Amino acid sequence: MIDLQLTDKTHDEERQGEALVIDAPLVRNGRKLYIESYGCQMNFADSEIVASILLDQGFETTGDYKEADVVFINTCSIRENAEQRVRNRLSQFGAEKRRNPKLIVGVLGCMAERLKSKFLEEEKLVDVVVGPDAYRELPQLLSEVESGHKAINVLLSREETYADISPVRLNGNGITAFISIMRGCDNMCSFCVVPFTRGRERSRDPYSILAEAQDLFDRGYKEVTLLGQNVDSYKWKGADANEDAEIEVNFAQLLEKVALISPDLRIRFSTSHPKDITDEVLHTIAKYDNICNYIHLPVQSGSTRVLELMNRTYTREWYINRVDAIRRIIPGCAISSDIIAGFCTETEEEHQETLSIMDYVGYDFAFTFSYSERPGTLAARKYADDIPEEVKKRRLAEILLKQQQTSLFRLQQFVGKTVRILVEGTSKKSDKDFCGRNDQNAMVVFPATEGVKAGQYVNVHVDRCTSATLLGTVVN
Ligand code: 5AD
Ligand code: SF4
């Protein structure tokens, strides 16, 4: 996850419509694509695949939808409010389309997959609906629209990983980039719509992952984040590099291979699943300095009974055992979490168990949500969404408050110390400041210093902190 953000509205999984623009125009056909992405990092990575496919067709990107020929919105279905946000945005695009009837409006991603042709019925101004596994078909689908038809492809695939498509890095800082290592999810957590919208889990071949990481490094990138819904279940089987034997590669081995590209390339990854994270992965992280000491390990609930209803397939004790292993094998490793308040039938005592596991772990960050029933999921079919909204809100507020206190406590541990950070660029708040993250993923802000530029590793003495940021000065 990217930022420490403590309200459920701003969770990274629900990043709001950022328009993605390519810095350098290529050889073009005069047509302009505007693409806006919502939701998880995977969606942002997918938008870079989509842009790559359309750039190959001669499109260029624009940051202003009013000058676009094609407007795409890459959508998120994870919670109801994420979908509502997309609908609101679509009505703005609709107004633009009334002004400019030639404008093509397309819905991509999870909402496209969830609602399929219903989308075309519900949102008359939408021309094309494309699910996450059908982006290769975009050029044909756009031709259909141009010949006067509505177009849709929401077929899910068991193989598609877009391994051969080299994503164009949109809106990037030129320093950090995402690499998708797998797609889909086979876990079937009962609250979650992802297995329905993104299909079966499949791992991308390691050679194309390594080539992508190497290429990024050669172009000056200094950090890659390996992305998957459940990276610990990464598994690939196929021919070795010389094509004379069959090999199997698991996540620990993949991590190691990426880490070996260069000690100057930092590796992050997300998301880890408590049931699958192995000691082998933890030892690999401990072995390489350039694999960041930061694990996003969503707990969802601290109650074994609720975890069972959620179909998370681990108990409170199992989760604690994994945290103990992290503390033992990688001392000082930061841990973050996703937590859901008010899942079906959750009692007050079970909510207290969530608060107590938060105390036990002492999360560095947490993304917190109140339960939102999603149509078609196991929970929607089996359990009543029976916790009143005010109770969910109150429980969520208690979780948030605890996390704020713990985050502050965690960051205070760095005050007075010197941390090594990768400079990402100027700070969002002031161009007189630079920012970057330390190994544990804490954001560090410091006054711009002569000779220091984006992409460098520097040591910063931490003078003070807020509950979200470390503030300091560069030291040699
Ligand atoms: N309601 C609330 N939160 C959810 N998440 C997934 N589905 C739901 C839902 N129906 C949260 C989980 C997951 C994160 C990405 O989003 O905490 O880890
Ligand atoms: Fe959803 Fe669970 Fe898969 Fe995460 S692991 S995407 S919460 S089903």
Side-chain angles (χ1 to χ4, degrees), residues 4-12 366-369 396 400 404:
L4 166 60
Q5 292 178 331
L6 294 167
T7 75
D8 76 331
K9 288 199 195 76
T10 50
H11 179 264
D12 198 46
F367 303 101
T368 62
F369 316 100
L396 181 65
L400 272 171
Q404 245 148 3

Side-chain angles (χ1 to χ4, degrees), residues 78 184-195 229-230 271 273 300 312:
I78 198 109
C185 184
D186 279 353
N187 283 323
M188 299 303 273
C189 298
S190 65
F191 50 79
C192 187
V193 77
V194 168
Q229 306 294 344
N230 175 7
T271 296
H273 196 300
Q300 313 295 359
R312 288 290 287 177

Side-chain angles (χ1 to χ4, degrees), residues 34-294:
Y34 173 88
I35 181 162
E36 197 168 284
S37 308
Y38 289 74
C40 63
Q41 293 164 336
M42 191 69 93
N43 250 12
F44 282 71
D46 279 3
S47 290
E48 298 185 332
I49 303 259
V50 167
S52 171
I53 292 168
L54 289 204
L55 254 71
D56 273 356
Q57 301 288 308
F59 275 82
E60 64 184 285
T61 59
T62 168
D64 178 5
Y65 71 86
K66 294 194 170 145
E67 60 165 51
D69 301 284
V70 174
V71 165
F72 283 154
I73 180 161
N74 196 353
T75 61
C76 171
S77 285
I78 198 109
R79 280 167 291 275
E80 199 180 336
N81 53 11
E83 290 203 349
Q84 197 45 51
R85 232 171 266 145
V86 166
R87 297 235 186 232
N88 295 344
R89 191 62 174 144
L90 270 176
S91 54
Q92 284 171 315
F93 295 149
E96 182 59 22
K97 193 170 162 82
R98 270 180 229 109
R99 209 184 54 77
N100 166 18
K102 277 200 180 145
L103 177 68
I104 296 176
V105 176
V107 174
L108 316 180
C110 288
M111 272 175 93
E113 193 61 51
R114 194 177 85 70
L115 293 160
K116 303 187 167 60
S117 58
K118 256 204 258 163
F119 224 123
L120 296 173
E121 291 148 29
E122 286 173 24
E123 305 274 353
K124 297 270 182 276
L125 292 161
V126 171
D127 303 294
V128 54
V129 170
V130 191
D133 285 346
Y135 297 145
R136 281 181 205 271
E137 299 302 315
L138 276 167
Q140 291 83 313
L141 293 164
L142 286 179
S143 308
E144 268 178 58
V145 173
E146 275 150 16
S147 59
H149 306 104
K150 300 261 173 187
I152 177 163
N153 188 335
V154 287
L155 287 178
L156 287 172
S157 155
R158 280 175 175 259
E159 285 93 36
E160 181 63 272
T161 59
Y162 300 112
D164 57 313
I165 295 181
S166 149
V168 286
R169 304 294 161 181
L170 298 161
N171 266 14
N173 54 11
I175 310 294
T176 61
F178 296 127
I179 300 182
S180 290
I181 62 163
M182 56 206 294
R183 299 181 71 81
C185 184
D186 279 353
N187 283 323
M188 299 303 273
C189 298
S190 65
F191 50 79
C192 187
V193 77
V194 168
F196 304 96
T197 59
R198 289 190 157 267
R200 298 305 298 267
E201 180 183 291
R202 64 220 97 117
S203 296
R204 177 178 168 190
D205 85 79
Y207 306 116
S208 68
I209 296 171
L210 287 168
E212 191 173 327
Q214 180 72 56
D215 174 61
L216 285 164
F217 184 66
D218 293 343
R219 290 194 284 133
Y221 283 77
K222 293 286 167 54
E223 182 180 297
V224 294
T225 302
L226 309 182
L227 289 183
Q229 306 294 344
N230 175 7
V231 290
D232 300 292
S233 63
Y234 177 89
K235 188 164 261 326
W236 183 85
K237 223 190 217 173
D240 68 1
N242 303 324
E243 304 218 336
D244 48 29
E246 189 165 75
I247 53 162
E248 241 184 67
V249 180
N250 67 17
F251 183 57
Q253 292 158 336
L254 179 72
L255 258 185
E256 176 159 51
K257 287 178 199 297
V258 182
L260 286 169
I261 289 177
S262 164
D264 277 342
L265 181 68
R266 260 188 180 180
I267 326 296
R268 298 189 186 279
F269 54 90
S270 191
T271 296
S272 301
H273 196 300
K275 86 173 153 65
D276 294 318
I277 190 166
T278 58
D279 285 0
E280 187 192 1
V281 166
L282 303 181
H283 285 295
T284 308
I285 299 169
K287 184 170 165 194
Y288 292 94
D289 276 350
N290 57 332
I291 305 181
C292 289
N293 288 356
Y294 168 57

